[in-house]
Amino acid sequence: MMSANLSRRKFLAASAAVTAGSLAAPWIARADANEITALLITGGPLYPKYWEKIIQDFTAKTGIKVRYDLLEFTPLTAKVVTLSAARSSQYDVYSTHTAQIDSYFNHFAPLNSYFSDSELAEFYPVAVKYLRDPKTGNLAAIPRNMDSRVQYYRSDIYQEKGLKPAETWEELVDVGLKLTGNGHYGLVVPGQGDPAQRTFSDLLWQAGGDWVDQANKPAFNSEAGIKALTFYRDLIQKHKIVPPDAVGYQWNENSTEFSSGTVYANFDWPGAFATLSNPETSRVVGKWSTAPYVKDKAAISCAISHAMALNGQSGRKDAAVEFIKYTVGPEAQRLQFDQFTNFPSSQAIAKEVISAAKGPQAVWLQQLETTIANGKEWPKLAGFSKVCTLMFSAIEQALTDQVSPADSLNQAATEAEEIMRRAGAYD
């Protein structure tokens, strides 16, 4: 997803804002139909240059000027929440993400009337599905790139020990036990926040479970959910094939443990391919390969997307939509892949990228495309963003053996249903 000098973990963990122009009220008041404003995502040294080129090319083609600010993922999300609640018209266009989209259904302008059915069919269905409001069917945002995980493993060590990358949960434990020792671990997993919820989500779906039932009531405390969280905990606490302090890890720590050579397997995002290939960011260059994600009953993982949205309060919607269409168009998607190894949200561009790839990159892209095509995301129901925050704590308590997986999930399910009821999920 990122360039060789930019990991996804750095992208999510950094908190410094990079400003690409003042967006104070005076010039906003003077903005006309040929000038729009945008709040865009950044991370690392290359993203500002990326947006600069995109905007220069867009303005050259359309004559529409774009004034913009750049923020890292976490402060950007917080700012969009604040501005949306205030019904602010400061920005016409927002960068957004699948994970938070249900918070914005009442604030982003529907894009349905701006994209035809044939245009929407060009994007991966899993992305478009989870960017829609399930109540209205309105499309809240359009996917800019796809994000999903595959298995990265130390092929040199596996070959030395006569091992193959795991395909099932059981094999993951067996291989991990054979690799753990002498200060090294067979696997690394995250244990906190959104990364922990993402990992639990994958295991939940793989075990045959889901977040909600047909009535949209919490179902993650089912037999499959308990099995998934128990397996997740046991990787750390029982089998001990994971670094013991993994309960405090997020994406950055996961990536660092693998790229430093401490652990021998990891489930990571597209940006890892570039990061691990660069000797400036990896001690294992040339010593790793990729494999499909493991499975239990099914081989399912999350497939999410960074996206572009139209502020419902914008007074320049037509010009703003032109910019949104350009940022998700072929030129922008090719540039994203070239600079960041961001996987395209367009199925046609993805096929183009895959067909042009060679060697290990071609294998990796095919594995990633399969994960995305079969991928899922948690439901976009009213109040579910708050449920996600609740789940961070529930999962962490089980992983640290403070509470049993069953008790943790049952309590969380009770609280989650009340949160969603108050938010109007069952109206």
Side-chain angles (χ1 to χ4, degrees), residues 130-283:
Y130 289 107
L131 290 169
R132 287 188 185 276
D133 184 339
K135 278 191 173 182
T136 65
N138 286 334
L139 184 67
I142 196 77
R144 190 167 64 87
N145 65 273
M146 299 300 301
D147 229 355
S148 196
R149 294 191 287 165
V150 299
Q151 184 177 179
Y152 293 78
Y153 70 98
R154 284 288 300 278
S155 51
D156 61 332
I157 302 297
Y158 277 55
Q159 183 176 5
E160 177 185 312
K161 294 183 178 292
L163 300 172
K164 294 182 179 180
E167 297 182 6
T168 66
W169 287 10
E170 292 77 12
E171 290 176 3
L172 188 67
V173 173
D174 182 58
V175 171
L177 289 170
K178 292 175 180 177
L179 292 170
T180 299
N182 299 319
H184 294 277
Y185 295 88
L187 180 67
V188 63
V189 293
Q192 282 196 342
D194 175 87
Q197 185 175 347
R198 287 285 169 203
T199 301
F200 171 69
S201 292
D202 291 350
L203 298 174
L204 172 67
W205 294 320
Q206 289 168 14
D210 212 338
W211 280 100
V212 296
D213 61 19
Q214 292 185 341
N216 289 332
K217 299 296 178 67
F220 54 80
N221 60 328
S222 63
E223 182 179 342
I226 294 170
K227 177 183 180 182
L229 189 52
T230 300
F231 176 72
Y232 190 3
R233 178 204 62 187
D234 286 352
L235 291 174
I236 303 170
Q237 303 294 347
K238 178 181 178 181
H239 305 303
K240 301 185 185 300
I241 61 174
V242 171
D245 54 349
V247 291
Y249 287 2
Q250 295 202 28
W251 301 126
N252 189 55
E253 291 83 1
N254 261 34
S255 178
T256 300
E257 290 292 278
F258 186 81
S259 64
S260 68
T262 302
V263 302
Y264 295 143
N266 185 20
F267 299 102
D268 215 335
W269 303 93
F273 193 94
T275 301
L276 293 170
S277 301
N278 186 350
E280 293 183 7
T281 54
S282 172
R283 296 179 181 176

